[in-house]
Amino acid sequence: MRRHAMHKRRPAVLIVDREGEDARRLVPFLRRQGFDPTWCRTGESAFTALYAAPPDALLFALRAQRIDGPKVLRRALQRNPELCAVAIVAPADLERGIEAMRAGACDFQPRPLHPARLLATLQRGLAHQRLAARAADLERQLDARFGFEALIGRSRALARAVEQLRQIAATRATVLLEGEPGTGKRLAAQAIHHNSPRAAEPFVWVDLGAVAEGVVESDLFGDASAAERGEPALRRGRFELAEGGTLFLDEIGEAPAAAQVKLLRAIHDRSFERLGGPETLKADVRLVIATERDLAADVAAGRFRADLYERLSPVRVRMPPLRERAEDIPLLVEAFIREFDRAHARRVTGVTRGVLERLMRWTWPGNVRELRNAIEGMVVFAHGRRPLDLSDLPDGLRGVDAGEASLALAVGMTVEEAERQLIAATLRHTGYDKPRAAAMLGIGLRTLYRKIKQYAIH
């Protein structure tokens, strides 16, 4: 039977020391302990070794002939700030060893070197280095999932929105995100939070379109009178749950009038009361608010408070619909295929030109969310290692040409008429599956039924 040996990489240790007994003993000792030691006898040869292959650990003489220890340390830390660096000092130079630690060394060892003590120091330093590497990797993963990198695309329309979000993130200003369903408003809110000084604190999200009208206030502000109904004596609201962090209020246009009054006070005075409770609580919360509605039109129609809109409108970011950044579709398709290949253990290698052309022609009434859902379905049903082809397209896209895939939008059309066409097109696309259409549009099912009735869509 053939045996395949799998070897873990041996940690590389650069020893920078003069010719002497310490280094001669140290090299074979470290090799026996599973390290890969390299011995440089001058500072110049050490600089060459540092740039050729940065080591995992550095043992350096602080003061020796042709060796400038502090300079070697500075160069090494430039290459790897988390490097495990140990200074070698003479017994009379302990104070200089402490100075080396202030300059970035993790420890110092006096001559003559004690191998077991040095080994313990190296193991401790390398463990810290691995922990720092894992933390950095986790930070990169968080950036990819919740940072601005999650907003995939290079179009001018998206780049402008992302630049605005970057400028806003460091402030505590209340932000209004505007855009159609599925344009990435929740991802934008998470990116604002993740790149703000409140990143380590809670991010709390509530979709006001999905909360029953009668419980919106208690959901947001809490309920101190729950005990009277046989419930726990105190129910904490979203504002309390988000204390110190960010509260994302999605679909603010669906908030009932009574909740709008309390929201205005919470934003203006940073305070609120629980339902049935006399105590006034401070709200140390950064608010990010989103809407798919034209709030200015709602104000004119008396459906939204003018003073609340004025409080929300100074800092606004519009998330562009996918039809305005169609050049981003190939990047999005590639990213979604990678995501769902991993999630569903598939081996999709991409898409054919025909599929990409069809995806580029479709106007995507549900925007990025609809595209993501379509790619997931295609990947799940794909078999074998191959690109997705026309036969993998969803029924709604397979037999549709460019004309059928377009909405009849025209300059001068009212927002209401454009919204009616968008909802009608999405319902046709889903075969009038209302829960799926609501999910694709990014609105609550209750909101969809109301709009179907409002626009008399059949």
Side-chain angles (χ1 to χ4, degrees):
M1 183 175 68
R2 294 183 62 188
R3 299 178 63 187
H4 298 272
M6 297 183 64
H7 298 288
K8 210 173 172 182
R9 188 180 72 84
R10 296 158 68 94
V13 181
L14 180 62
I15 304 167
V16 186
D17 197 8
R18 67 195 181 197
E19 186 75 42
E21 185 63 25
D22 274 334
R24 278 196 296 270
R25 289 171 49 240
L26 200 54
V27 170
F29 171 77
L30 290 175
R31 193 167 287 125
R32 288 194 303 271
Q33 298 300 322
F35 294 91
D36 182 16
T38 301
W39 182 11
C40 293
R41 296 163 177 80
T42 67
E44 287 303 318
S45 62
F47 297 148
T48 301
L50 282 169
Y51 282 94
D56 300 295
L58 171 70
L59 305 178
F60 67 101
L62 199 56
R63 298 177 66 189
Q65 186 178 9
R66 300 182 65 191
I67 295 174
D68 183 344
K71 187 175 182 181
V72 170
L73 178 63
R74 285 196 300 273
R75 293 279 182 91
L77 292 177
Q78 286 172 358
R79 298 287 284 166
N80 179 8
E82 301 297 335
L83 180 70
C84 171
V86 181
I88 303 171
V89 301
D93 279 346
L94 299 186
E95 185 61 36
R96 290 181 182 272
I98 295 172
E99 290 177 5
M101 290 182 66
R102 293 193 185 112
C106 66
D107 201 355
F108 67 91
Q109 296 284 326
R111 296 184 192 276
L113 296 176
H114 190 288
R117 188 182 305 141
L118 182 59
L119 176 63
T121 299
L122 285 174
Q123 290 172 337
R124 185 173 64 250
L126 290 172
H128 170 78
Q129 190 175 128
R130 288 191 294 270
L131 185 62
R134 283 197 294 269
D137 185 58
L138 178 60
E139 185 67 24
R140 284 190 294 271
Q141 292 179 40
L142 288 171
D143 284 340
R145 185 174 180 185
F146 299 123
F148 296 114
E149 293 82 357
L151 297 165
I152 300 168
R154 298 173 185 164
S155 63
R156 182 177 298 179
L158 182 66
R160 181 175 183 275
V162 169
E163 180 57 31
Q164 291 176 323
L165 295 172
R166 288 186 188 278
Q167 293 175 356
I168 289 166
T171 73
R172 64 170 297 170
T174 297
V175 184
L176 178 62
L177 302 174
E178 300 174 307
E180 295 175 7
T183 50
K185 296 187 290 294
R186 180 163 62 89
L187 289 177
Q190 289 174 324
I192 289 172
H193 173 72
H194 186 64
N195 290 273
S196 76
R198 297 171 179 257
E201 302 302 327
F203 175 84
V204 176
W205 170 40
V206 56
D207 180 356
L208 295 175
V211 179
E213 186 170 337
V215 299
V216 169
E217 289 181 72
S218 63
D219 189 74
L220 290 177
F221 304 108
D223 191 344
S225 60
E228 298 174 5
R229 300 187 297 274
E231 299 176 14
L234 176 64
R235 182 191 299 163
R236 299 173 67 201
R238 307 282 181 149
F239 272 84
E240 289 182 78
L241 295 174
E243 176 66 21
T246 301
L247 176 58
F248 176 42
L249 300 180
D250 202 0
E251 293 309 323
I252 188 68
E254 301 297 326
Q260 290 182 33
V261 175
K262 288 197 169 186
L263 275 172
L264 178 62
R265 181 188 171 191
I267 295 171
H268 188 269
D269 298 336
R270 303 283 173 180
S271 64
F272 65 95
E273 287 92 25
R274 301 187 191 99
L275 287 181
E279 183 183 8
T280 298
L281 304 174
K282 300 303 290 184
D284 180 18
V285 170
R286 201 281 178 74
L287 283 172
V288 179
I289 294 171
T291 183
E292 67 180 55
R293 301 173 63 127
D294 182 346
L295 292 184
D298 284 353
V299 169
R303 292 190 295 265
F304 199 80
R305 290 184 64 93
D307 47 4
L308 179 56
Y309 177 65
E310 289 172 5
R311 190 66 183 82
L312 298 177
S313 58
V315 182
R316 294 187 290 175
V317 178
R318 177 180 177 270
M319 301 303 295
L322 191 52
R323 64 180 175 276
E324 292 181 9
R325 55 185 192 101
E327 62 266 43
D328 291 336
I329 289 176
L331 291 173
L332 289 162
V333 169
E334 181 182 352
F336 293 150
I337 286 176
R338 284 200 306 270
E339 175 187 351
F340 295 123
D341 255 10
R342 289 192 300 268
H344 303 301
R346 290 295 189 260
R347 296 184 296 164
V348 172
T349 59
V351 296
T352 64
R353 178 178 294 182
V355 168
L356 189 58
E357 288 176 353
R358 191 68 57 88
L359 297 177
M360 294 283 286
R361 287 206 308 261
W362 180 244
T363 54
W364 300 107
N367 292 292
V368 177
R369 182 188 294 115
E370 182 186 359
L371 174 61
R372 184 176 184 274
N373 291 341
I375 296 299
E376 180 175 21
M378 294 166 73
V379 169
V380 165
F381 288 109
H383 295 288
R385 185 177 181 83
R386 64 176 180 82
L388 299 171
D389 58 33
L390 290 173
S391 66
D392 296 304
L393 286 168
D395 292 340
L397 286 173
R398 192 177 301 168
V400 178
D401 61 24
E404 292 173 321
S406 299
L407 295 176
L409 300 178
V411 174
M413 178 183 292
T414 64
V415 171
E416 287 78 6
E417 177 58 24
E419 184 177 55
R420 188 194 69 78
Q421 287 202 33
L422 176 65
I423 293 171
T426 305
L427 287 167
R428 288 195 301 271
H429 175 67
T430 60
Y432 290 85
D433 182 336
K434 294 182 179 64
R436 184 180 167 208
M440 191 175 288
L441 290 165
I443 60 178
L445 187 58
R446 178 168 59 88
T447 302
L448 178 61
Y449 275 108
R450 179 173 56 78
K451 289 180 181 292
I452 290 173
K453 182 178 180 181
Q454 176 185 344
Y455 296 131
I457 298 172
H458 303 291

